[in-house]
Amino acid sequence: MDADEIRGIWDRARRTTSRAELQRADGATVPVDRYLDPQRLARERALLRRWPHAACPQAHLRAPGDWTTVEVLDVPVLLVHGEDGVLRAFLNVCRHRGAAVAQGRGSGRSRFVCRYHSWTYDATGALVGRPQDSDFPHAPKQTSGLVEVPVAARCGIVWVVPSVLDAFDWDGYFGPMAGQIEGLGYRADAACPREGASRHAANWKLLVEGTLETYHFQYLHRNSIAPHYHDDAVQQDAYGLHQRIVIPRRSFAEAAARIVEPTAEQLGRHASLMFFLFPSTFLLWNGNHASVFVMRPEAIDRAVTDSFLLVTPEHHAQWPDEHWSTNWDRFWNPLGEDYAQNESAQRGMASGANAVLTFGTQEFAAAAFARALDRCLEAQDGLPTRPDGRGATPLRVVDRAG
């Protein structure tokens, strides 16, 4: 992120915190069935499997010979940093009888052996050995290697598309977003001092939408982050389907009165930047670290959040381990408050109290995500895509008076 962009964010935050220029949009509603319909969820999962997801920190695959296994939308994936320096992703599925060929994470490994029948693959995915090879004339080795899926390393994160595709346009997907994040120092050498996962009894979209609005800060988070942040002075920019949201801290107004040419360090001290990469990956930058978290659906009323901290080498060397544990807790405590309300909302869905859920005029980032998801589903299903994004699962725009 260059000096001009930092200055632009700073100047806009100055105007929003002074109430001279509050960002708002039309209100909207979405049908409750959106969060209850198993057929819609099946369509969403099919869509999500064709988009990138943050699979793990790049720190797990920093050196040749490093490898790790992950699951992305129930798809088992093996990630390998080859001795040739190439990062590859494979479906973690033996080509013989379908069992996993690796489990866990490790380093210095160039062979992956299926425990079931000992079919053996190298770090390029090639089948290099199997017992009684002559018994398989109908399955030649050259066509029985592990199946590759698209993978990329950007922003200190390994990204995976959990589908077999001929190609994927990574530059087109990231656009300018990755350059902004990497400009803040999050590249291949970023450290990962903490990581974890949690499961929630709520539809995955409730988790995403709740993260994209700050309207709830002063009420739900009154005993955690509310004293530190404005709740109605965000600034949002869209980058295609992606979004960047700036959340000023309470300290911003005083800082803006005395700082004319802010640095990235000063911006991080007085505001948080949230980068949302469609469809479900967030990177929340708080100056000396970034929290990465990904929401994925497991069922209509169950979702999982995978998360990890990213820290630049300079900051990682500057602070002790306890510092990152404290920041991990500061991140998870308010997020846990959000998730409890998401679960409460999910339980209330089937009661019939609401036919629709409502987005207020300052919850425009959440509404933008809902529209984008609908447009992508319509395109996937071959439905006509209208400029307002409305279709079989409409997001209805209402005027501010209504």
Side-chain angles (χ1 to χ4, degrees):
M1 191 171 292
D2 61 28
D4 287 343
E5 191 146 30
I6 291 170
R7 188 183 308 111
I9 292 172
W10 189 269
D11 289 343
R12 282 178 64 194
R14 190 200 314 270
R15 295 193 295 274
T16 58
T17 54
S18 68
R19 301 301 189 270
E21 189 180 294
L22 290 175
Q23 189 173 359
R24 295 292 187 269
D26 289 329
T29 63
V30 292
V32 165
D33 284 350
R34 176 190 190 87
Y35 308 92
L36 297 173
D37 182 1
Q39 292 184 343
R40 179 188 168 100
L41 178 67
R43 294 165 55 219
E44 290 173 350
R45 287 173 65 86
L47 175 72
L48 296 179
R49 283 178 173 165
R50 299 181 68 84
W51 285 85
H53 300 263
C56 69
Q58 199 171 345
H60 290 351
L61 297 159
R62 187 164 292 157
D66 288 349
W67 61 275
T68 190
T69 60
V70 297
E71 282 204 4
V72 182
L73 293 166
D74 298 326
V75 177
V77 177
L78 169 63
L79 298 163
V80 182
H81 187 160
E83 295 294 339
D84 57 1
V86 177
L87 175 66
R88 296 180 176 89
F90 308 100
L91 297 181
N92 187 14
V93 176
C94 181
R95 298 301 303 282
H96 174 219
R97 300 290 291 170
V101 302
Q103 294 179 329
R105 187 172 88 219
S107 60
R109 187 165 167 182
S110 59
R111 293 289 188 271
F112 298 91
V113 183
C114 178
R115 293 180 62 188
Y116 199 0
H117 296 92
S118 204
W119 283 37
T120 302
Y121 305 85
D122 69 13
T124 70
L127 178 63
V128 294
R130 58 187 169 187
Q132 291 84 49
D133 183 57
S134 61
D135 287 347
F136 298 93
H138 52 303
K141 281 185 179 178
Q142 60 268 28
T143 60
S144 299
L146 296 176
V147 176
E148 286 199 60
V149 294
V151 64
R154 296 293 304 269
C155 313
I157 300 167
V158 175
W159 303 80
V160 169
V161 179
S163 289
V164 181
L165 303 175
D166 292 335
F168 189 84
D169 180 9
W170 288 103
D171 288 339
Y173 170 73
F174 287 115
M177 188 75 83
Q180 293 183 24
I181 296 169
E182 290 170 347
L184 294 170
Y186 299 96
R187 296 180 289 271
D189 55 358
C192 174
R194 290 290 180 275
E195 59 185 309
S198 61
R199 282 177 164 76
H200 321 284
N203 188 278
W204 74 282
K205 297 184 295 298
L206 288 175
L207 276 59
V208 173
E209 291 160 2
T211 307
L212 285 168
E213 54 91 357
T214 61
Y215 176 48
H216 65 282
F217 272 24
Q218 298 308 308
Y219 317 104
L220 180 59
H221 301 316
R222 62 172 58 90
N223 296 320
S224 54
I225 61 174
H228 307 292
Y229 286 96
H230 291 281
D231 65 339
D232 62 347
V234 300
Q235 52 181 276
Q236 180 257 22
D237 290 287
Y239 299 85
L241 298 175
H242 307 323
Q243 302 186 47
R244 186 191 68 198
I245 299 172
V246 179
I247 312 170
R249 298 177 188 266
R250 297 280 182 184
S251 62
F252 183 87
E254 183 276 330
R258 58 183 173 80
I259 298 172
V260 178
E261 294 293 333
T263 63
E265 181 181 358
Q266 290 166 328
L267 177 61
R269 189 177 301 139
H270 301 290
S272 294
L273 270 61
M274 184 161 63
F275 298 88
F276 173 61
L277 292 102
F278 188 88
S280 60
T281 299
F282 291 86
L283 185 145
L284 178 64
W285 179 66
N286 282 307
N288 67 0
H289 69 282
S291 300
V292 179
F293 48 114
V294 189
M295 289 84 160
R296 301 190 183 101
E298 288 191 325
I300 194 66
D301 58 354
R302 292 200 311 276
V304 61
T305 299
D306 295 315
S307 58
F308 49 89
L309 285 185
L310 289 183
V311 183
T312 65
E314 296 78 12
H315 286 127
H316 195 231
Q318 182 179 356
W319 299 94
D321 190 62
E322 293 77 8
H323 176 80
W324 308 119
S325 295
T326 298
N327 278 282
W328 179 253
D329 291 341
R330 286 175 178 169
F331 162 70
W332 266 109
N333 288 343
L335 202 59
E337 295 171 341
D338 284 354
Y339 290 155
Q341 295 308 306
N342 298 148
E343 293 180 352
S344 174
Q346 187 70 39
R347 290 192 297 270
M349 292 284 184
S351 68
N354 295 316
V356 298
L357 298 186
T358 302
F359 295 117
T361 62
Q362 70 160 298
E363 296 172 286
F364 53 86
F369 161 73
R371 281 193 295 271
L373 183 60
D374 279 358
R375 288 197 301 270
C376 290
L377 286 174
E378 289 169 4
Q380 173 181 264
D381 295 344
L383 299 176
T385 301
R386 296 181 290 186
D388 61 3
R390 293 169 60 183
T393 52
L395 181 145
R396 189 173 73 87
V397 175
V398 296
D399 63 41
R400 298 190 185 189

